[in-house]
Amino acid sequence: MQPSALSCQPSVNMLRGHSCPRFLTVLLILLLAALSSAQDHPIALKGGKLLTISHGTVENGVVLMQGGKITAVGAASTVTIPSDAKVIDATGMTIYPGLIDSETQLGLTEISAENMTNDLVETSEEIMPHMHTAEAFHAESALIPVARMNGITNAVIAPDGADTLPGQDSFIQLAGGSAPEMLLIRDNAMPLNFTGDERRNKGGFDKRRFPSTRMGLAAQLRQAFLDAQDYKSKWSEYERKKAEFSQNADKSAAKGKEKAGEKETAKKAEPTPPKRDLKLEALIPYLDGKKSIVLAAESPSDLQTAVSLANEFKLKFVLNHIAHSQPVLDYVASLKVPVIVGPIYEAPKDEERYDTVYSLPAQLYKRGVKVVFASYSAHGVRNLPDAAGFATAFGLPYDEALKAITLNAAEVWGVADQLGSLDVGKTANVVVANGDPLDVKTDVKQVFIQGQPIPMTDRQVRLRDQYSK
Amino acid sequence: MRLMSTSKFALLCLCLATALSSAVAQSASHHDVVIENATVMTVTHGNIKNGSVWISDGKIMDVGQTIKMPYGATVIDAGGKYLTPGIVDSHSHIALDDDVNEATSPITPHMMMKDAFDYQDKAIYRALAGGVTTSLLLHGSANMIGGQAVVIKHKYGASRDELLFPNAPRSIKFASGENPKRVYGSRDQLPSTRMGNFAVQRQALVEAQDYMREWDAYNEKVKAGGKEAKDATPPKRDLKLEALADILRGKLMVQIHCYRSDEMLTEIAMAKEFGYKIRAFHHALEAYKVADQLAANNIAIATFSDWWGFKQEAWDAIPWNATLSMRKGVRVAIKSDSEDYTRRLNQEAAKAMRYGGATEEEALKMITLNAAWIVGVDDRVGSIEVGKDADLVIWDGYPLSSYGVPEKVLIDGDVYFDRSQPGLGTTHYKEGE
């Protein structure tokens, strides 16, 4: 993070009325220090309760951060704090890794009803894999500080689900001096939405355009992947011919030195490359199984159709939504893929029990499925942990709920070596809060991203302070 | 068996006298239920540990650590769990089968939401399962003056009329800001601006004044009696103007959809101009900017806990709105305006504890007593007090958290939701039967 990103005055009022003056004072000094120095001093969070995620809870623990990484984690008695470290007394606090939201629209929207602030999805066509959320991502969005102030440090940003293939996701960090710094992985995955019932079927015959049915959606999607296979082989063929040509050219050039005059007759025409097609090109990493599809479906029948389509092209996938697939959860488990369960607030169908969707994470967990949570939101990303907490009231074990927004998510998105737990060597994305991270009442006191204390302010805090006088 | 009249019941007893058990005979005139061993969150007089509540014929008869225990009462052991009043949602559009907006004219005060009320809507049951027992079903915000609300109790499974809150006061919905101007502006009609909005509203109220004067003059003549009364012809009745006149006569509680603080002030000025009172601003996301003025005019707010940024006029929304306004003396309710959020208003209220440090009781009040005041039924529901309706929720877990969920929900003393029941978990039974 650039120093400029820290230029906001940290809010004193934010913590007013809470009993942690010592924590606050040290933090203020630290924030001011961070503005002026290059942050090379280690920071030690001392005395808090550590929720490590990977190796249990440590009471009276220490987290040491340096150079943007976690350099030590453990009981206060076992960690040696370097003499040059800035020590923050976190007694009474709960410390846990930064939370990861597995599907958001952060940086793609500002004011939902104002279309000029939205870059959510191209609805002109269903097959738009060449749309890259990374290219629309707005790093200065006012929504990002609001989300990270509640401990969300990383997120997947995805296009809106209005197309079968709406474009490619990115994996972001919620702090940084510029968009490129925040976009940790571009095109990390691609949504495939087989949710036709929710989309194109509406309207009378006169209003319809292809595809207006599930058959249409499936046929179009199949054609797209077939075309991509074809495209890929044309290019391989071209690459092969091109290699052959340059080999021959080299040979004749070598020969040419010996037998000048023969070269004109021996030369074959140079192969011309196929016309580039951005759409088909974008599908190739997925056809090659190098990246994951995020496969969304709701009902048992749509889910199974979508899975067979994915299998037809040997796509690697994780599942998304499946809010109304309770009758086939054993089948879901047999696929041995993770499931993004969403914020579990989707309404049950009329014939379903009130808690059908609330209990989905618990039902999946029971069957050995790895679950992760997503807010599917932009303005509401800060409430991600509440949904995980709520799922525990319907049977999801507490530790699993916490994992679903930390380590499980890091594993699903291929960043578990850097994120998702308090472990030595991982990125120092660390949250200090006054209690249980999954309870709606818990107040986050400080967030560190890459070891940097984030200014705990946003435009809402500023408005609050302006009108509290 | 629902609130069968005593005479009918006596007749039944007579017919089946020999077959009836003695227990039933003893409760011939009252149905008594006692919930015991609960942490009773009364809202108005603190929490009572190991508390009990005695309910008779749907009303709360006694509350306390020791209560009068009627002989033969059915006992529900709450197992030490929390007992709260039923949640009141002061802004909802469920159970209207999408007939929320008569968006064909900006002034439609004669629309009665009751006429669209779909008592079989499953959303009523899903809210009930979240502890909601009373809701104010409002017209939408497409029109400057929409329609008249209906107040319901969430007695899912009962007949239509049983779901209507008996003798609830009448409310009318006003709107302002972006929604009316977008709806009519997109058709190149008036209003398409905020000045258009208020001009349309003022025009309607001026016409209502004329109508009211005509009727007042006529009624005066009739009252005077004699020849004048004989000759007097009544003005033509006009449902729309009649409804507007009822606003001016103070017979309708005015509930105004309003986001921006400047518009709240304009609405207050217009209410003074025409002499009516504003009961509450709904959404009211900028209430914190003008909280003093709202408090001075005894105007409540029904607001979201932390929604923001969904439209331009929601850009200055802050999650401290509820507590900042409350501290300045505004009566604050947290409402859903949503089929989804109405299922977990307890969590939404708990956010007021986090954002601005509302106490547990203050937070709970935002979804019970304060919401009931906005609806005009705070003398009947919204707290656990003697004489009030026995609308109660037994919670599995602490209600002001991510974890509390309703185990049983009672309305007028009968169980309408029981989590332990199979199937939908909906039910309607009297404990002990």
Side-chain angles (χ1 to χ4, degrees):
Chain A
M1 189 166 40
Q2 300 298 308
S4 63
L6 283 167
S7 62
C8 303
Q9 190 67 25
S11 165
V12 180
N13 293 332
M14 174 73 191
L15 300 162
R16 196 170 48 191
H18 296 285
S19 55
C20 53
R22 214 164 22 149
F23 177 76
L24 175 66
T25 312
V26 179
L27 207 61
L28 270 175
I29 294 166
L30 186 71
L31 275 166
L32 296 172
L35 293 173
S36 52
S37 78
Q39 184 65 44
D40 275 341
H41 287 289
I43 296 171
L45 297 171
K46 186 170 173 256
K49 172 181 173 183
L50 313 183
L51 308 177
T52 67
I53 312 298
S54 54
H55 54 283
T57 301
V58 181
E59 299 287 347
N60 188 19
V62 170
V63 176
L64 200 61
M65 302 178 279
Q66 189 169 20
K69 301 274 182 202
I70 296 172
T71 51
V73 179
S77 56
T78 63
V79 176
T80 311
I81 298 173
S83 57
D84 64 336
K86 298 195 182 301
V87 181
I88 300 174
D89 183 354
T91 307
M93 296 286 145
T94 302
I95 299 172
Y96 48 94
L99 308 180
I100 304 169
D101 191 330
S102 287
E103 186 173 324
T104 74
Q105 297 168 339
L106 284 175
L108 304 178
T109 180
E110 206 68 13
I111 299 174
S112 319
E114 297 299 322
N115 237 342
M116 285 305 115
T117 73
N118 293 330
D119 295 295
L120 294 165
V121 64
E122 282 290 340
T123 50
S124 50
E125 284 183 50
E126 292 277 356
I127 307 294
M128 302 297 273
H130 55 318
M131 298 299 111
H132 306 278
T133 51
E135 293 179 337
F137 176 68
H138 183 222
E140 292 81 22
S141 166
L143 283 65
I144 292 170
V146 171
R148 74 183 177 207
M149 269 185 58
N150 208 27
I152 290 87
T153 61
N154 296 85
V156 172
I157 61 168
D160 198 36
D163 292 334
T164 303
L165 296 177
Q168 299 191 49
D169 296 350
S170 309
F171 187 83
I172 65 160
Q173 171 176 285
L174 273 68
S178 64
E181 280 182 40
M182 294 166 79
L183 288 158
L184 298 188
I185 314 171
R186 288 164 189 252
D187 301 336
N188 67 313
M190 181 172 71
L192 191 169
N193 302 307
F194 199 73
T195 47
D197 194 32
E198 284 72 35
R199 299 187 288 126
R200 296 272 192 252
N201 269 326
K202 308 285 177 327
F205 281 118
D206 53 333
K207 286 186 184 147
R208 289 199 184 181
R209 57 176 181 158
F210 184 79
S212 70
T213 59
R214 287 176 174 79
M215 314 70 102
L217 289 168
Q220 188 188 44
L221 183 69
R222 186 175 283 120
Q223 189 65 54
F225 278 111
L226 284 172
D227 290 350
Q229 280 178 334
D230 194 40
Y231 181 76
K232 187 187 160 190
S233 52
K234 270 188 194 152
W235 271 92
S236 321
E237 180 64 10
Y238 163 72
E239 297 295 349
R240 193 184 57 74
K241 281 185 181 160
K242 193 178 145 198
E244 206 176 81
F245 172 81
S246 47
Q247 232 172 17
N248 288 341
D250 288 350
K251 272 184 202 163
S252 39
K255 280 179 189 168
K257 280 179 187 167
E258 294 156 22
K259 304 178 184 177
E262 263 184 315
K263 65 180 176 187
E264 290 306 315
T265 52
K267 187 167 184 181
K268 265 189 180 170
E270 185 174 347
T272 49
K275 190 172 182 296
R276 275 185 69 189
D277 183 320
L278 293 178
K279 271 191 194 188
L280 300 178
E281 210 167 276
L283 293 177
I284 290 172
Y286 298 94
L287 274 176
D288 290 348
K290 285 180 183 156
K291 291 181 181 180
S292 254
I293 293 278
V294 180
L295 195 66
E298 296 280 5
S299 67
S301 52
D302 284 349
L303 172 67
Q304 289 169 78
T305 304
V307 168
S308 38
L309 275 164
N311 286 341
E312 201 176 315
F313 295 96
K314 299 188 171 58
L315 304 176
K316 200 171 100 182
F317 62 88
V318 300
L319 289 176
N320 198 5
H321 288 291
I322 69 164
H324 305 294
S325 290
Q326 273 72 4
V328 293
L329 293 185
D330 288 336
Y331 161 78
V332 171
S334 75
L335 299 171
K336 302 209 178 312
V337 297
V339 176
I340 304 171
V341 290
I344 66 169
Y345 302 138
E346 199 163 321
K349 292 192 169 172
D350 275 359
E351 65 278 15
E352 291 175 336
R353 200 177 139 95
Y354 80 102
D355 57 1
T356 302
V357 187
Y358 295 155
S359 61
L360 182 64
Q363 290 299 324
L364 288 167
Y365 169 72
K366 251 194 236 167
R367 290 166 173 81
V369 177
K370 180 181 290 181
V371 296
V372 298
F373 278 81
S375 68
Y376 299 134
S377 171
H379 302 87
V381 170
R382 63 178 162 197
N383 294 331
L384 174 75
D386 306 347
F390 195 37
T392 68
F394 297 91
L396 184 67
Y398 182 88
D399 289 350
E400 290 304 316
L402 199 51
K403 264 167 84 175
I405 51 174
T406 54
L407 194 54
N408 282 2
E411 284 168 4
V412 167
W413 305 114
V415 288
D417 56 332
Q418 300 158 53
L419 299 171
S421 62
L422 297 180
D423 279 299
V424 173
K426 287 199 178 184
T427 304
N429 291 358
V430 179
V431 184
V432 183
N434 68 353
D436 171 9
L438 304 188
D439 187 22
V440 69
K441 290 189 300 301
T442 300
D443 204 15
V444 171
K445 297 295 179 190
Q446 186 58 50
V447 177
F448 295 87
I449 295 183
Q450 289 189 325
Q452 297 262 17
I454 295 303
M456 293 301 282
T457 189
D458 57 25
R459 81 182 296 280
Q460 301 189 348
V461 169
R462 290 190 288 277
L463 277 166
R464 178 201 64 190
D465 294 345
Q466 185 186 336
Y467 286 93
S468 295
K469 283 167 194 158
Chain B
M1 213 155 48
R2 278 261 342 108
L3 297 178
M4 194 178 278
S5 72
T6 314
S7 58
K8 261 194 201 166
F9 194 84
L11 187 69
L12 185 73
C13 288
L14 200 69
C15 299
L16 304 172
T18 50
L20 283 170
S21 73
S22 58
V24 173
Q26 275 162 3
S27 62
S29 56
H30 295 291
H31 184 82
D32 293 309
V33 178
V34 170
I35 300 173
E36 61 175 29
N37 190 22
T39 298
V40 184
M41 303 173 87
T42 66
V43 177
T44 45
H45 47 284
N47 289 1
I48 305 166
K49 285 249 173 208
N50 301 315
S52 299
V53 177
W54 166 31
I55 302 160
S56 187
D57 287 346
K59 299 281 179 200
I60 296 169
M61 304 299 285
D62 202 2
V63 187
Q65 267 190 337
T66 51
I67 58 161
K68 292 181 284 273
M69 176 87 164
Y71 177 72
T74 305
V75 174
I76 302 175
D77 183 354
K81 290 174 179 171
Y82 289 93
L83 182 76
T84 69
I87 292 170
V88 178
D89 191 346
S90 51
H91 189 121
S92 180
H93 304 293
I94 62 167
L96 296 170
D97 199 19
D98 289 337
D99 280 344
V100 175
N101 280 296
E102 180 56 50
T104 51
S105 157
I107 306 290
T108 57
H110 48 320
M111 299 301 108
M112 310 297 284
M113 303 321 286
K114 184 178 157 188
D115 294 335
F117 176 49
D118 172 12
Y119 73 106
Q120 291 177 303
D121 187 346
K122 284 279 192 332
I124 299 171
Y125 143 69
R126 291 194 287 262
L128 170 71
V132 176
T133 53
T134 295
S135 287
L136 179 66
L137 307 187
L138 292 160
H139 190 276
S141 50
N143 300 344
M144 287 307 291
I145 303 181
Q148 297 180 37
V150 59
V151 186
I152 65 158
K153 284 214 180 190
H154 287 241
K155 295 182 175 180
Y156 186 78
S159 70
R160 188 193 87 134
D161 287 355
E162 282 178 292
L163 268 76
L164 302 175
F165 197 116
N167 304 314
R170 294 158 65 199
S171 278
I172 188 153
K173 174 76 175 291
F174 280 32
S176 57
E178 289 183 28
N179 290 6
K181 66 178 230 162
R182 188 179 62 244
V183 169
Y184 296 98
S186 66
R187 302 173 195 165
D188 202 18
Q189 290 172 4
L190 181 74
S192 66
T193 60
R194 283 180 168 83
M195 51 263 194
N197 282 350
F198 285 118
V200 163
Q201 184 172 321
R202 182 176 282 112
Q203 181 65 41
L205 294 169
V206 164
E207 284 165 21
Q209 281 178 328
D210 290 344
Y211 182 77
M212 196 166 71
R213 270 195 286 272
E214 277 179 51
W215 272 95
D216 286 350
Y218 167 73
N219 288 331
E220 207 118 301
K221 282 180 193 165
V222 171
K223 212 174 141 193
K227 186 177 180 313
E228 229 184 339
K230 243 184 202 172
D231 295 347
T233 44
K236 187 176 178 301
R237 273 186 69 190
D238 183 312
L239 286 179
K240 184 170 154 184
L241 292 170
E242 214 163 82
L244 292 170
D246 279 353
I247 296 169
L248 302 181
R249 291 187 172 113
K251 288 185 179 171
L252 281 165
M253 297 197 305
V254 176
Q255 315 279 358
I256 309 184
H257 158 116
C258 195
Y259 284 88
R260 254 168 46 177
S261 57
D262 56 292
E263 285 178 294
M264 292 181 208
L265 299 181
T266 307
E267 288 285 8
I268 291 172
M270 196 172 300
K272 287 189 174 154
E273 185 181 333
F274 289 93
Y276 58 88
K277 285 199 165 65
I278 299 166
R279 188 71 169 185
F281 284 119
H282 291 244
H283 314 313
L285 296 183
E286 292 187 12
Y288 67 96
K289 297 182 180 177
V290 290
D292 289 332
Q293 287 97 316
L294 302 190
N297 288 285
N298 198 26
I299 299 170
I301 62 169
T303 188
F304 295 117
S305 63
D306 62 356
W307 291 27
W308 72 289
F310 44 95
K311 53 164 112 173
Q312 183 66 53
E313 61 191 359
W315 188 237
D316 275 7
I318 62 172
W320 295 273
N321 185 41
T323 42
L324 285 181
S325 301
M326 179 186 73
R327 296 276 175 250
K328 294 214 167 150
V330 179
R331 200 180 262 106
V332 176
I334 301 283
K335 48 83 191 191
S336 76
D337 191 15
S338 152
E339 201 172 310
D340 171 11
Y341 281 74
T342 194
R343 302 178 298 165
R344 48 196 162 90
L345 277 173
N346 58 311
Q347 292 175 30
E348 295 304 290
K351 286 176 184 169
M353 297 170 76
R354 182 226 171 132
Y355 296 109
T359 65
E360 170 190 289
E361 193 166 284
E362 285 168 340
L364 192 56
K365 208 175 254 184
M366 291 178 185
I367 51 168
T368 55
L369 196 60
N370 287 358
W373 186 86
I374 288 171
V375 182
V377 292
D378 52 315
D379 56 335
R380 319 256 289 278
V381 298
S383 60
I384 303 182
E385 289 181 277
V386 173
K388 282 200 163 179
D389 294 355
D391 295 0
L392 301 163
V393 185
I394 300 173
W395 296 83
D396 188 0
Y398 179 56
L400 293 158
S401 74
S402 301
Y403 309 114
V405 292
E407 193 175 278
K408 271 188 180 156
V409 183
L410 289 79
I411 303 179
D412 292 334
D414 289 358
V415 180
Y416 277 89
F417 174 76
D418 184 338
R419 196 183 181 190
S420 68
Q421 296 278 311
L424 287 180
T426 57
T427 178
H428 171 209
Y429 63 88
K430 288 183 190 294
E431 281 291 346
E433 284 182 6

